[in-house]
Amino acid sequence: MIRNMWWKVLGLLLVLYSIIAGLLIDVPALPVIHQTIRNLFYHVSMWFAMFVMLGTSFIFSIRYLSGFRMKDDLMASGAVYTGIFFGLMGLMTGMVWAKFTWGDFWTNDPQLNGAAVSMMAYLAYTVLRGSIDEVAMRARISAVYNIFAFMLLVIFLGVLPRLADSSLHPGKGGNTSTMEGLDMTMRMVFYPAALGWVLIAFWLLQLHTRRRALIQGIH
Amino acid sequence: MRETAELIRKEFLLEIRQRYAINGILLYVFSTIFVVQLCFGRVIDEKTWIALFWVILLFAAFNAVSKSFIQEASARRLYYFMIASPLSVVVSKMVYNSLLMLVLGALSLGLFTVFMGFPGLYAGLFAPAFLLGCIGLASALTMVSAIASRSGNNAALMAILGFPVVLPLLLLLVKASQRALTGTVEFAELLRLLSAIALIDLVVVLLAVILFPYLWRD
Amino acid sequence: MEGSDKFFVVVIVMSIIFTGLGTYLFLIDRKLSRIEKKLKEFRGSKNNDK
């Protein structure tokens, strides 16, 4: 029990810590964003969780194509669904944050475009899965699309922002102020928060696949 | 290798015999450009020109490439499966579609120039970007078409599966074209943009070659 | 932050909500484990019958 549960407890505790500490610590005074820099702990963690989930899905898709085990397909699709959940959370929180700092819900920012395209790609993945009836074929075709789309997304998110002229997000283009402003106290909250959410994402993934496995087991 | 060449020849023969397909695409390109001309008139600024050009070419690519696997009836697919290796099938399709895209692209460029004028694009950047862009769009969409053809409603799926995949390439192409507007471009900048586009092409082709066998078998 | 604005109350409320969510997740996890076990036993008894 404890051996299997420890990482789930750890995830919950880390996020709980980030909620308490993230709201109570002193943050550096920054122009424009002011106190909302605290959103970093919560909003950016959503993206971390999403990327880890999509990466997990990518790995399981490769594993599926190398062994054709249905368990791998279950994990791959489950990870995509979990990733989409965190992606939508990240998108929504990001839009609210953007409205109150940059003045618009949507700005033409490479980071935002990347997020939107990721969501499109993986929603398309779910549609693709829905449109194939035969189970083995569905697993195979969607694994191929998953690998194809993920590789192009990595390029999209890794290469394009570097070519961009400017970005409102830190560390890209002409704007590096926020990352420099990320002082030690903030790091002490941000990294645990991201790790905590990633662990919770894995937990949700596990719940999802276990439920699906049970349903299949009953039939 | 010979198999691939033979398959490419077959694609050409098919295209010439069923002329309605290629004529349809040509007419499509012509109509959209004509509509654009009617809507905007001759005077559009150069950034709009570039955006419109790539958007129209993108949709032309969707139209042209989407039929490449979808038109293959399952009986015929089975026949190819027996006689040809998946590698040569996918390579032949990609080569053929790339050539088709280049022809379509050149044609759109010509029509655009006739109807809307031509902005002073720096050829040293625009020409290679255009070349690599057509190849990349064609290859990526070939792969997407292969995926979509294995599912139920492939026409709608082609669009939703294709957009996220070609978007990085499209954005890069627009960016490179806009950079080409400024006249001379620094060599480092040129290299950076072109190598990014080439990288996408390379990844697409490699992935297609690796992944296609999984799509091909039943 | 200064203590006079009772900000800590908000922190406590959010912590309670999150802890509640976490507990709920644990309960689902436990239930799933139980059903998994039952399914296993069910299958085991089925195999014994044969």
Side-chain angles (χ1 to χ4, degrees):
Chain A
M1 180 73 179
I2 293 160
R3 201 178 299 158
N4 297 330
M5 283 291 187
W6 68 268
W7 57 275
K8 299 170 183 171
V9 179
L10 181 67
L12 285 179
L13 286 179
L14 284 176
V15 173
L16 190 62
Y17 158 75
S18 80
I19 288 176
I20 297 170
L23 290 174
L24 290 182
I25 58 162
D26 283 316
V27 291
L30 293 165
V32 185
I33 34 182
H34 302 296
Q35 288 288 332
T36 67
I37 186 64
R38 293 178 200 277
N39 269 345
L40 178 90
F41 309 131
Y42 315 113
H43 159 73
V44 183
S45 305
M46 294 294 112
W47 293 120
F48 265 71
M50 182 193 88
F51 281 119
V52 172
M53 277 303 105
L54 297 184
T56 310
S57 167
F58 173 68
I59 290 166
F60 275 102
S61 280
I62 293 176
R63 274 185 54 168
Y64 177 77
L65 287 186
S66 60
F68 299 111
R69 278 179 299 270
M70 284 320 283
K71 221 182 147 198
D72 291 332
D73 177 59
L74 190 62
M75 285 295 276
S77 63
V80 165
Y81 292 126
T82 318
I84 287 176
F85 169 73
F86 280 100
L88 288 180
M89 290 294 122
L91 216 54
M92 273 154 57
T93 51
M95 278 166 75
V96 172
W97 195 5
K99 178 67 187 169
F100 289 100
T101 50
W102 304 329
D104 266 315
F105 283 116
W106 198 264
T107 53
N108 194 15
D109 181 84
Q111 215 81 2
L112 262 168
N113 291 336
V117 176
S118 317
M119 282 298 99
M120 268 165 68
Y122 284 95
L123 289 174
Y125 172 90
T126 62
V127 175
L128 177 67
R129 285 187 75 85
S131 73
I132 306 175
D133 291 328
E134 199 201 323
V135 182
M137 175 107 118
R138 170 167 67 208
R140 193 150 43 84
I141 305 296
S142 59
V144 169
Y145 182 70
N146 193 1
I147 295 168
F148 197 59
F150 185 80
M151 287 304 287
L152 281 165
L153 273 182
V154 167
I155 294 179
F156 192 55
L157 298 168
V159 177
L160 284 195
R162 267 168 242 281
L163 290 171
D165 313 307
S166 65
S167 169
L168 299 163
H169 278 80
K172 311 270 159 36
N175 183 338
T176 50
S177 59
T178 325
M179 265 303 163
E180 282 160 13
L182 192 60
D183 61 8
M184 269 322 280
T185 31
M186 287 189 62
R187 276 167 211 261
M188 290 302 287
V189 179
F190 174 62
Y191 294 139
L195 179 65
W197 279 111
V198 167
L199 288 174
I200 289 180
F202 272 113
W203 189 4
L204 290 178
L205 167 63
Q206 196 212 41
L207 287 179
H208 180 96
T209 49
R210 276 165 69 190
R211 199 195 93 227
R212 292 270 297 276
L214 273 177
I215 292 171
Q216 281 170 11
I218 289 166
H219 290 311
Chain B
M1 203 60 222
R2 265 202 47 204
E3 208 172 57
T4 314
E6 201 59 35
L7 281 168
I8 295 173
R9 208 173 69 88
K10 170 230 119 191
E11 294 282 343
F12 272 110
L13 275 178
L14 264 182
E15 200 68 81
I16 290 165
R17 292 219 183 118
Q18 316 178 320
R19 229 163 298 158
Y20 69 90
I22 185 102
N23 285 347
I25 298 159
L26 291 181
L27 202 58
Y28 166 81
V29 170
F30 175 77
S31 332
T32 24
I33 294 174
F34 188 61
V35 166
V36 165
Q37 200 262 344
L38 285 178
C39 293
F40 284 88
R42 267 193 86 91
V43 251
I44 51 172
D45 68 275
E46 291 157 328
K47 281 201 162 175
T48 318
W49 191 97
I50 287 166
L52 278 174
F53 175 72
W54 283 113
V55 167
I56 287 175
L57 201 58
L58 176 74
F59 280 95
F62 266 101
N63 271 330
V65 179
S66 66
K67 66 174 182 52
S68 72
F69 278 96
I70 291 166
Q71 73 171 7
E72 311 277 24
S74 62
R76 197 170 345 143
R77 207 179 58 78
L78 201 64
Y79 175 62
Y80 292 144
F81 183 72
M82 308 292 270
I83 59 167
S85 77
L87 183 68
S88 52
V89 169
V90 72
V91 169
S92 73
K93 290 264 187 198
M94 281 195 297
V95 170
Y96 172 73
N97 283 330
S98 300
L99 289 174
L100 185 66
M101 269 310 291
L102 281 173
V103 171
L104 274 179
L107 218 90
S108 316
L109 204 60
L111 282 172
F112 246 74
T113 313
V114 169
F115 282 110
M116 325 273 295
F118 189 76
L121 290 170
Y122 172 56
L125 177 55
F126 184 72
F130 175 77
L131 202 76
L132 286 171
C134 284
I135 294 172
L137 281 179
S139 314
L141 288 176
T142 304
M143 190 61 188
V144 172
S145 146
I147 294 172
S149 72
R150 303 311 303 275
S151 74
N153 60 336
N154 40 42
L157 262 181
M158 178 78 199
I160 58 166
L161 294 179
F163 272 115
V165 168
V166 296
L167 220 70
L169 188 59
L170 189 77
L171 285 186
L172 261 180
L173 288 172
V174 170
K175 191 180 287 295
S177 312
Q178 283 176 352
R179 209 49 63 85
L181 268 178
T182 56
T184 49
V185 182
E186 276 175 57
F187 185 69
E189 174 92 33
L190 192 145
L191 204 67
R192 217 155 53 108
L193 282 167
L194 288 182
S195 58
I197 299 174
L199 173 75
I200 292 185
D201 284 13
L202 191 72
V203 168
V204 165
V205 172
L206 275 181
L207 281 176
V209 167
I210 295 168
L211 293 175
F212 186 74
Y214 293 105
L215 290 176
W216 194 226
R217 47 182 263 184
D218 265 315
Chain C
M1 301 196 83
E2 60 263 56
S4 60
D5 52 10
K6 297 190 181 171
F7 188 70
F8 68 95
V9 181
V10 180
V11 178
I12 294 172
V13 167
M14 286 179 68
S15 308
I16 290 172
I17 291 173
F18 184 74
T19 318
L21 263 176
T23 317
Y24 182 52
L25 270 179
F26 265 115
L27 289 178
I28 294 175
D29 201 305
R30 282 249 313 272
K31 262 181 206 152
L32 269 179
S33 302
R34 222 171 288 153
I35 301 172
E36 273 166 355
K37 224 168 137 189
K38 260 187 195 159
L39 192 70
K40 224 179 204 172
E41 279 167 12
F42 176 70
R43 282 195 169 153
S45 64
K46 233 175 149 184
N47 287 346
N48 287 344
D49 290 347
K50 278 174 191 169

